[in-house]
Amino acid sequence: MSIFLAFLFIATTLNINFCGGSSYRGCIDSERQSLLRFKKDLIDPSNRLASWTSGHVDCCTWSGIFCDNLTGHVLELKLTTPPLEGNGPVSEDAAESFSRSKLGGKINPSLLDLKHLRSLDLSYNNFDGQIPIFLCYMHNLRYLDLSHNLFQGIIPHQLGNLSNLQYLALDGNLGIIHVDNLGWLSSLSVLKYLLLYSVDLSESFDWLQGPIPYGLQNLTSLKYLDLSDNNFNSSIPNWFYRLSRLQRLFLHDNWLKGTLRILGNLTSIEELDLSSNGFEGGIPKSMGQLCNLKSITISSVNLSQPISDVLDIFSGCVSDVLEILELHESQVFGQFPDRLGQFKKLSSLHLYGNSISGSFPSSLGELTSLQFFDISHNKLNGTISELHFSNLTRLLEFAISRNSLMFHVSPHWVPPFKLESLGLASCHLGPKFPLWLRSLKHLKYLDISDSRIKDDIPTFLFKIPFLTINLSHNQIYGQIPNLTESTQLQVLDLNSNNLSGSMPLLPFNLHLLDLSNNVLSGSIFHFLCHKMNESKPMMQILILNNNFLSKVIPDCWMNLKGLKVLNLGNNRFTGKLPASIGTLSSLEWLNLRKNNFFGTIPVSLKNCTQMVSLDLGENEFVGNLKVWVGEKFSGMKILNLRSNKFSGHLPKELCNLRSLQILDLADNNFFGTIPRCINNFSAMKTKSSNEENNMNYEPDAYYGSTYLESELLVKKGQMVEYNTILKFVRVIDLSKNNFSGKIPMEVTNLSELQSFNLSHNDFTGRIPENIGAMRSLESIDFSRNQLSGEIPESLSNLTFLSNLNLSNNNLTGRIPSSTQLRGFDASCFTGNQLCGPPLPNSCTVTIPTLNNQNRGEKDGNEDEVNWFFVSMALGFIVGFWSFIGSLLISQRWRYLYCQFLNSLQDKLGSVVRKCY
């Protein structure tokens, strides 16, 4: 034994002397060569793998490589793209840099040579195609993360070979990956983390609908399960109780239904997200037994439950550990109980968008751990005082907007917290600006819109380092201060006030500026072209409508190359549009309505190929509707050229606008026919769903402010402004032009069109017989044309029709006798040759002629009186009574008539006898 110990001592000494006190061997050459082959097939735009070269012999020092210190074998390969830092808004440069850092290309099978690899992380990159099957034979893998790439196709069931796998993440792949079954999961018996968020599991729905599957139910080691965004249409299966070790469960954005009772058995659960589902019955009492529950999110679910019941359920052992409670937009109602103080560890409470009523709870001040509080868009009332905040020293977010609350604190109050976000919209703060805002030097987001402030802007306000500030819908007056020193400001909303003077100078990073509905005046030259305002690529939304801005628009739009929304409507601008407006290649919404612009549309505008809405209405523009409008603006939804001096034919290329929902060319000088390809307007054949985005625009990151597009349209004879429901509107208005020819029958394919106005033109021919197929029509105006023929019977099928004007045409015949049409005023049909209700002249019953029966056709108007039959009947009656009257009056005539009949009888009798 002593000899062995001595030998061991010598060996250890030699190891220390010759190996520097370590057994580190460095990278194994075969594995280094495998990694170089792997790199060769990668696309690395930002050169992240610069250290991966043959000149750097030790691959264990390469970026993303981790080796075993004793053996030198590669154990981990971590090539995830580094995430963006911070939780705040992200600049375009940062977003572009993040995108450029992503790896792409092919995943080389040389990774199979890394026999000892335990962890492979390729998340947040641009790898595409199918998930490589060879990965399924890397048997030592314990950690595999392929999430947030562009993979597509079927997930290989051979992943079941990775029996040592403890972590598997396949979520967030934009290429849409799917499975044909989940049976292979049963082989992953030691799996602890399974992330299948947004993976298409529709072909394996039987695992949720029964019978009990042989896949997930056997994964009793699971601690983390994410099956969100998979559109399940079933209840939570009973076998979920077997997942007794589960600590985090995410099932949000599915179609799950039924009750939540089964989840009361998951006693190890710490974090639970069940948002955006169809659960019923509210939160069960059994969930009050989840004594480890730290975070629960059940938002956008119809709980239909009093807030007092919810707090009662969690008032037991859960109240000792609960940190996050999020129930926004979940149909929670009733008076807010004043017993929040028992939730001592609560750091985040989000209840916005419900129907919670009553006074503001004073016990809120007992939540000393509270950081985030949002109860906006409820029905609270009463007063908030500084006593509510005395112990909230950790508070970072406080949002109580859209309630009926009065904020009542001392003018000299100094808040105890360092707020970053404050939302007090529609609270009563005025008439003066709250002076206590001066102490909130860390405030990034402020919304005190509609708060009854009647004051000028204090000098201290823009010394606070805001990212977003919303002062809209108040009565703020005076001039807007110079903002160039507010370099961090990204969103400024001052709309609907009484601000006057000229346009301000702007900070470099501003993304959204809304100064609409004020009394600003003068030119925008200084604002747009001053050297302080040059080159502002961050500006995305500029809203200046409804002011008194005037003069010619300067030719400096190249300074705002990132602009996506521009609204200059209802001002006093004049002159021609400058060519530089075509440099706004990202422009999506352009509104120049109701100004004094003239001339032609600059050809450079065709460079704005992202255009969604173009409104040039109520100006003095001239020229033709250019072919490139249909060729370049393929995503256009709104085209409004109303009340200008445009002329010429409608180009057939206009029919390329398949997304078009609103076409308003009224009150111009267009002529010619309507292109028959008008049925190519696909968006007028389909409804917008509630899930689709509204016609609004949000900046690239979250800034707490959104521009909602609005549009003035003539519908049912009146000018109406649409905004929140604009995405549902479908309108064609070609009235007050010089169009001619027939109404093309192809227009009847536009089954979702709601308003159709062709009035004050020279259209001829008949109203399309199949107009009843346009089942969504609410308004039709074909008045003052030269339309002829009868009103189609199918018009009676339009059950939504509430406005109809067919007056002053050449229509003939009976008005269809439906209750739907009889309800309209007679003036809707006057100036034609029509009859029947609601007109006072009734239609005479038609007596068919022999001639018409032989021909089998109508004589133009089936209700017209046939005077030939009338005169023949009258002649018969006069002749008959003249003859009979003579016999009755004269005895001599009766004698001669009887002699004639006797003679005729004798002659007929002799003829009959000869025949037989």
Side-chain angles (χ1 to χ4, degrees), residues 515-548:
L515 303 179
S516 60
N517 300 292
N518 280 285
V519 288
L520 300 172
S521 59
S523 171
I524 63 171
F525 181 87
H526 190 69
F527 162 78
L528 194 62
C529 305
H530 190 274
K531 63 179 182 180
M532 293 292 295
N533 280 1
E534 286 181 359
S535 186
K536 287 187 168 44
M538 309 301 290
M539 178 73 79
Q540 297 176 23
I541 302 177
L542 178 59
I543 314 298
L544 303 176
N545 59 293
N546 297 320
N547 279 286
F548 296 95

Side-chain angles (χ1 to χ4, degrees), residues 617-656:
E618 299 184 74
N619 283 285
E620 301 291 328
F621 287 112
V622 298
N624 299 336
L625 183 54
K626 303 301 182 182
V627 168
W628 49 260
V629 172
E631 293 176 339
K632 299 293 185 179
F633 300 159
S634 59
M636 178 170 281
K637 296 181 179 180
I638 300 174
L639 177 59
N640 193 330
L641 306 180
R642 186 183 193 87
S643 299
N644 279 281
K645 296 180 179 178
F646 289 107
S647 58
H649 292 267
L650 295 187
K652 65 180 185 301
E653 288 78 8
L654 194 68
C655 300
N656 295 337

